[in-house]
Amino acid sequence: MGADQESDAALMLRVQRGDMVAFEALVDRHKQGVVNLVYRTLPDAAEAEDLAQTAFVQVYKSAHRYRATAKFTTWLYTIARNLCLNEIRRRSRHPAEALDAPVAGVEGESERQIGDVRSFSPDQTALHNELSEKVEQALSELPENQRTALLLCQQEDLAYDDIAKVLDCSLSATKSLIHRGRETLRQRLKTYLRSGQWNAARD
Amino acid sequence: MAARRPLSAEEQARLAALLRANPALTAVWEEEARLSQCLHRLPPVPVSSNFTALVRQRVARESAPARAREAAFSPFRAWLRSWGLGWQLGTAGLVLAVGIATYRQHQLQVRTEMLREVAALSALANSPGVDTLIDYVPIQTLPASAAADRELLDALR
C-alpha cells in the first residue's frame, strides 16, 4: 500500500520508527489545513508558513508520544494552535519583535527559510479581494477560540468531539463557540449574505 | 447540520415543511446556508511548493544534536544490554535482599528501644510511694545554709 492510501495513524506508526517517507506523506497531506489555520490566526503568510513548518517539526520530534488511539489531525491541530497562542503571547510581551528576529540559544532560529512560490492565482486574487476579504476580515475579528472552532468545523471538517479536544474544552462549550461565531459572522456579513453576492461571483 | 454535510432527502423534506410552516425562518435559513458556503469556499492560503522539503531540512537540522546525545550514551546502553536477563535478575534479587535486611534491622532497633523503655517504667514502679514524696518539694526549697538549720531546730524546740 502506498503512503497516499495509508491512514494517518499508520503513517505515524512508521514515523515513530524514523520513516521519513511516511513523515513527508503526512506533511503533504496536512500542510494546507495547518497553513490555513495558522494564517487565519496570525495573518502574515510568511510567518504562518514558518509556524506551520514548526508544527510539523514538533510532530516529528514528539512522534514517540503519539498513540494510535488518538486522531492524528486532533493532535496536529492542537500543536499548531498552541504554537499560534505562544506566538500571540510572545508578541504581546515584545510587540516590536518580529518572528524572524534571532532568538538567543535556539539553534537555527536565525536561518529562517522562506518558500519559493507563495501567491494567490489571478482568479484567486480577484475573489480574495472582492468577497473573501470581507469574510476574512469578519473572521479575524472573532475571538481566537471561536475562529479556530469555526475553521476546524467548516474548513477542515473536524468532528465536534475533535474540535473540543483541540480547544481543550467540553463538547457543549465547543458547540456554543461555533454557534456564537456563526451568529457574529452572520450579523457582520448580513448585507452580503442577503444579496447572495458570494454565489454570484463564484458560480 | 447542513453546515457540515448535504441534507438527505428526508431531511430536505422536513426542512421544507418547517420553512413552509414558519416563513420568517426562510431568510435566516438562507443566510445560514450562504454563510456555510462562504466559509467552505474561502480560498486556501498559498503554500510554497518546497514546504515539505523545508520541513525535512529543519527536522534534519534540529534532530542532529539529539542524535549526537544519543550516540554519546549508546556505549553505556550497549554495556547495560550486554548484562543479559540473568544479571538483571541477580541484581534485582540483591537489591531486594538488602532491602529486607535493612527493614529487619530497623525493626530490631525499634524493639530494643521499646524494651529499654519498659524496663525504665518498671524501675519507676519500685520507687517510694506518693506519701513518702509529699514533703520532697518543701525540703528541697529549704535554704542550704547552717543558719537555716538552726532556725529549724529552734522552731522545733
Side-chain angles (χ1 to χ4, degrees):
Chain A
M1 191 193 292
D4 290 349
Q5 283 84 47
E6 268 185 274
S7 70
D8 290 340
L11 287 172
M12 267 312 283
L13 293 178
R14 283 173 55 191
V15 173
Q16 284 179 335
R17 296 194 294 269
D19 187 335
M20 211 57 190
V21 175
F23 178 64
E24 285 176 20
L26 276 173
V27 175
D28 278 334
R29 195 178 285 178
H30 296 289
K31 62 185 176 189
Q32 185 65 64
V34 174
V35 172
N36 284 348
L37 178 71
V38 176
Y39 174 75
R40 289 185 173 114
T41 309
L42 303 166
D44 176 316
E47 293 192 359
E49 190 160 315
D50 194 61
L51 219 60
Q53 285 174 15
T54 308
F56 283 108
V57 173
Q58 285 283 337
V59 164
Y60 187 84
K61 283 157 86 173
S62 321
H64 62 280
R65 286 208 295 267
Y66 173 76
R67 296 287 168 268
T69 46
K71 198 172 174 189
F72 174 73
T73 43
T74 310
W75 192 54
L76 173 64
Y77 286 119
T78 305
I79 290 175
R81 178 179 183 245
N82 286 342
L83 285 171
C84 288
L85 294 181
N86 286 345
E87 179 56 21
I88 291 168
R89 273 187 220 111
R90 196 186 67 81
R91 284 183 187 190
S92 66
R93 281 198 301 268
H94 310 285
E97 278 180 31
L99 185 67
D100 54 356
V103 179
V106 182
E107 195 182 339
E109 196 74 23
S110 57
E111 301 169 33
R112 193 164 151 250
Q113 298 190 41
I114 306 298
D116 53 359
V117 177
R118 49 161 73 260
S119 59
F120 287 97
S121 67
D123 184 37
Q124 278 181 326
T125 309
L127 269 174
H128 203 76
N129 290 343
E130 284 173 34
L131 290 168
S132 62
E133 204 173 77
K134 303 287 178 195
V135 184
E136 298 271 15
Q137 177 67 28
L139 263 176
S140 72
E141 285 165 9
L142 288 179
E144 185 276 331
N145 51 3
Q146 287 182 20
R147 182 176 54 242
T148 304
L150 261 178
L151 289 172
L152 291 178
C153 173
Q154 298 286 161
Q155 284 230 296
E156 309 308 328
D157 286 331
L158 252 66
Y160 288 145
D161 282 350
D162 295 326
I163 299 170
K165 282 177 194 154
V166 173
L167 297 177
D168 195 21
C169 63
S170 68
L171 184 62
S172 53
T174 303
K175 287 179 181 173
S176 165
L177 285 173
I178 292 171
H179 173 74
R180 279 187 280 143
R182 283 184 67 91
E183 197 53 35
T184 310
L185 287 185
R186 209 160 60 82
Q187 293 304 320
R188 289 191 185 156
L189 301 168
K190 222 173 182 60
T191 324
Y192 304 95
L193 297 175
R194 280 190 178 159
S195 66
Q197 273 185 45
W198 176 273
N199 280 340
R202 293 286 298 184
D203 299 332
Chain B
M1 190 182 287
R4 308 300 311 272
R5 60 169 173 80
L7 296 178
S8 66
E10 188 200 346
E11 288 165 342
Q12 289 270 18
R14 277 168 54 199
L15 175 66
L18 180 73
L19 294 179
R20 268 197 305 278
N22 305 281
L25 286 180
T26 308
V28 177
W29 167 253
E30 280 175 1
E31 280 177 24
E32 283 288 337
R34 283 185 187 139
L35 177 62
S36 295
Q37 275 186 323
C38 283
L39 291 170
H40 216 74
R41 290 176 175 182
L42 272 177
V45 178
V47 180
S48 60
S49 60
N50 58 346
F51 183 93
T52 306
L54 293 178
V55 172
R56 194 180 51 227
Q57 280 174 25
R58 282 182 60 173
V59 164
R61 196 173 59 230
E62 290 182 26
S63 48
R67 274 203 302 273
R69 274 198 302 276
E70 202 168 307
F73 278 105
S74 60
F76 177 66
R77 285 198 191 129
W79 176 69
L80 269 184
R81 241 179 266 125
S82 69
W83 270 35
L85 186 66
W87 276 98
Q88 286 172 12
L89 284 176
T91 310
L94 186 68
V95 169
L96 192 67
V98 169
I100 290 171
T102 309
Y103 178 68
R104 289 214 168 147
Q105 182 67 27
H106 171 71
Q107 272 191 326
L108 196 66
Q109 271 183 352
V110 167
R111 280 178 194 157
T112 310
E113 187 65 28
M114 202 183 290
L115 274 176
R116 203 175 294 137
E117 282 171 8
V118 168
L121 204 63
S122 53
L124 195 68
N126 295 333
S127 61
V130 176
D131 292 339
T132 319
L133 295 172
I134 205 153
D135 295 328
Y136 181 76
V137 175
I139 291 168
Q140 275 290 98
T141 54
L142 282 174
S145 65
D149 289 345
R150 274 196 295 278
E151 276 176 25
L152 181 64
L153 283 172
D154 289 344
L156 287 173
R157 248 183 246 129

